[in-house]
Amino acid sequence: LTGVPREQRAFQYVLAHAIPGDPRHVLQTFDQWSYRCEHLSSPGRALRGLATAGKIVERLLHERAPRTVLELGTYCGYGTVLMAMALPPGARLYTVEPDPRHATVAEKVIRLAGFDEETVELIVGPSEEVIPRLREQHGLLKAEFVFMDHWKRCYLRDLQLLEAHELLAEGATVLADNVVFPGAPHFLQYAKTCGKYRCKVHRASLEY
């Protein structure tokens, strides 16, 4: 009714209630909005003690300690802030968002949480156009960790693009959200049968 998009309404709430420079509090404020006001499609961090995608991302990042991380699908920046918190010192996160309106919100959220462009670079554009120029235009030589959380129909295409442009480091981790529901069957089939990957399905609760 207000004409203000849901993502912008969420950011206004975060801006009013979150502590600037405190990424954990920024995420907690986002969670409060999504629990109490309107649902936002984000990884989530806690749900009555059950595992969420956000908790899985955090755990894997702490285990692998990658120096270069690529996120496909920034949305409002929730997952970006979550991953930036878990990066080892000196690591860099590249995040790609195709929708300029969402990217505008995400940029504000990322900077509000206290992460500068040296730590988190937000790239606006369709993933199929951004991936081929990641090395030349953005300096990403090899990604050690990739988090896919964009359009499920793009998962397989973008994984193969990363392969074709030799952007995956040896032993890289590729984590893809929501592959069972809503589902990315072609991606799953390829990952399981192409012989290049060891696959594991992580069970997680739907956020909020």
Side-chain angles (χ1 to χ4, degrees):
L1 292 176
T2 64
V4 178
R6 174 173 53 179
E7 294 79 14
Q8 186 64 40
R9 292 196 296 271
F11 173 70
Q12 290 171 352
Y13 179 87
V14 171
L15 187 62
H17 296 89
I19 301 172
D22 186 337
R24 291 193 180 278
H25 197 260
V26 168
L27 295 186
Q28 288 171 5
T29 308
F30 254 119
D31 287 335
Q32 289 171 2
W33 171 267
S34 294
Y35 276 122
R36 300 172 183 174
C37 302
E38 296 177 282
H39 175 267
L40 286 177
S41 180
S42 62
R45 297 187 66 241
L47 182 63
R48 304 180 193 90
L50 301 175
T52 61
K55 284 295 184 184
I56 294 168
V57 171
E58 282 185 300
R59 176 172 57 80
L60 289 175
L61 282 171
H62 285 303
E63 288 177 2
R64 309 296 162 85
R67 305 290 297 176
T68 49
V69 177
L70 174 64
E71 178 186 32
L72 299 177
T74 316
Y75 191 42
C76 290
Y78 184 107
T80 313
V81 171
L82 184 77
M83 288 192 289
M85 285 196 307
L87 293 178
R92 186 165 172 79
L93 168 59
Y94 302 81
T95 182
V96 180
E97 173 53 48
D99 189 323
R101 296 167 301 175
H102 295 165
T104 298
V105 173
E107 181 84 38
K108 295 174 183 176
V109 169
I110 294 164
R111 306 311 169 209
L112 179 68
F115 299 107
D116 60 22
E117 293 184 3
E118 292 301 312
T119 302
V120 179
E121 180 178 350
L122 173 60
I123 305 166
V124 184
S127 54
E128 71 270 23
E129 296 178 9
V130 171
I131 289 172
R133 63 174 195 256
L134 279 172
R135 180 175 287 114
E136 290 74 15
Q137 293 191 13
H138 302 280
L140 174 58
L141 302 180
K142 301 277 186 180
E144 297 177 8
F145 191 101
V146 178
F147 181 45
M148 294 184 172
D149 195 17
H150 55 325
W151 293 109
K152 313 314 162 200
R153 65 176 182 270
C154 300
Y155 280 13
L156 176 56
R157 180 201 67 197
D158 288 351
L159 178 62
Q160 292 176 331
L161 270 176
L162 290 169
E163 292 173 349
H165 291 274
E166 299 182 344
L167 287 166
L168 293 176
E170 184 176 354
T173 298
V174 178
L175 184 63
D177 198 13
N178 306 122
V179 293
V180 176
F181 176 81
H186 299 298
F187 169 85
L188 271 183
Q189 180 70 14
Y190 176 78
K192 289 178 178 178
T193 61
C194 71
K196 301 175 185 177
Y197 305 98
R198 291 177 295 172
C199 295
K200 180 178 180 180
V201 176
H202 300 265
R203 295 186 177 274
S205 303
L206 290 176
E207 63 275 4
Y208 314 124

